[in-house]
Amino acid sequence: MTTLNGSSGVAERVRRAALDAMERLDLAPVTAAARALAPRVRAGGLLQTFGSGHSQLLALEGFYRAGGPAWLRPLVDDRLSPVRGFSVTTYERSEGLGRELAARLGPADSLLVVSTSGRNAVPVELAQTAAEAGLLTIAITTRAPGNRLAAAVEHVLDAEVPPGDASVEVGGARMGPLSTVVGGVLLHGLLAETEALLGAGSVLVSNNLDGGDVHNRSLIERYPHLLGLT
C-alpha cells in the first residue's frame, strides 16, 4: 500500500532490517581478531584483504581512504571484480585460482577474506593456503549451511545475514542485501580495534582537510603500496 507521500514503506523495511542485523552482531570475535592482528602489524606485516564479486567492495573499503589504516592492502584480481557480471561466478568457483593469489601474500602478512556464503573455491583455497603458510587468517562470512570458509580460518566475524543476503520482499522477489552494510561495520570495527591496540598513528585522513596531503604523504613513505596497486 502506498502512503500519501508516495512511499510504500519498503525503504523503511530495508533500514530496519539493516539496523536489526547490526544489533545482532557479536563483536567479541572482532576484539579477539584485533588482538591477534595487532602484533603482526606492529612487526611490519600488512593486512591483505580479499573478496570476489560484491565482496570485493569490502576488500577495497579500507584502502587509502579517510579513516582507514595505512597497513591495509587489498588483494585484487580483475577477473573477480563485480563489474565482470556473470563471469565472476565462473572465476570464483575455479579450482587453483585461490592458491595462485596466495603467492602474492608476504610471509609476515595477515589475511582477511570476505565471502558471505563461504562456499566458492577461490576464497576457501586462498584462506587454506594462507593458513598452511602460518599467516593469521580472518573471515567476514556467515555460518550458514554449506559454508567451507569458516572452518578454514582462525577468526570468524559472523555477519549473520539471511540466506541469499537479501532482506525484504518486493513484488515476489527479495531485495535489500545486507552483507555490505553489516560487513562494513565488522571491517571498520576490526581496523579501529587493531589501530587502538597499536597506537601507531597509521590512519589516513581526507586529502581535502587542511594538512591532509602532508599527513598522508608521510604514511605513503612508510607504506609505498598506498601509491597504487599493481
Side-chain angles (χ1 to χ4, degrees):
M1 179 178 178
T2 303
T3 61
L4 291 177
N5 64 7
S7 171
S8 63
V10 175
E12 172 58 25
R13 287 162 55 203
V14 172
R15 183 178 77 96
R16 178 51 56 189
L19 291 174
D20 289 346
M22 285 188 279
E23 286 292 331
R24 290 194 303 270
L25 289 177
D26 180 5
L27 297 180
V30 175
T31 300
R35 288 174 177 164
L37 177 59
R40 289 164 172 78
V41 174
R42 187 178 292 113
L46 298 175
L47 175 62
Q48 298 234 31
T49 56
F50 172 82
S52 63
H54 280 83
S55 293
Q56 192 178 95
L57 301 178
L58 284 176
L60 292 167
E61 167 62 18
F63 177 63
Y64 195 73
R65 65 161 303 154
W71 38 263
L72 181 148
R73 186 185 192 281
L75 182 58
V76 177
D77 189 296
D78 287 343
R79 293 169 291 183
L80 299 168
S81 168
V83 302
R84 295 291 184 179
F86 175 76
S87 66
V88 171
T89 301
T90 300
Y91 281 115
E92 66 187 357
R93 292 176 177 175
S94 298
E95 302 286 343
L97 181 52
R99 289 187 291 274
E100 176 187 323
L101 294 172
R104 303 185 199 174
L105 300 170
D109 290 344
S110 301
L111 175 68
L112 171 65
V113 177
V114 185
S115 174
T116 302
S117 71
R119 293 186 174 196
N120 290 316
V122 172
V124 174
E125 281 184 358
L126 175 60
Q128 289 172 336
T129 306
E132 290 165 2
L135 275 63
L136 174 69
T137 53
I138 307 167
I140 295 177
T141 187
T142 60
R143 295 186 182 274
N147 186 308
R148 298 186 294 142
L149 178 61
V153 300
E154 187 174 349
H155 295 272
V156 176
L157 312 185
D158 191 348
E160 295 191 53
V161 299
D165 201 1
S167 61
V168 301
E169 186 173 334
V170 181
R174 295 194 69 80
M175 300 184 71
L178 300 177
S179 60
T180 306
V181 175
V182 177
V185 174
L186 292 172
L187 172 70
H188 285 294
L190 172 67
L191 301 181
E193 286 269 12
T194 304
E195 183 67 19
L197 292 168
L198 291 169
S202 300
V203 180
L204 295 151
V205 302
S206 171
N207 288 320
N208 296 313
L209 292 176
D210 292 342
D213 288 342
V214 173
H215 173 87
N216 290 340
R217 195 173 300 120
S218 68
L219 290 175
I220 291 170
E221 291 174 358
R222 290 166 52 194
Y223 297 96
H225 71 273
L226 294 174
L227 286 170
L229 301 177
T230 58

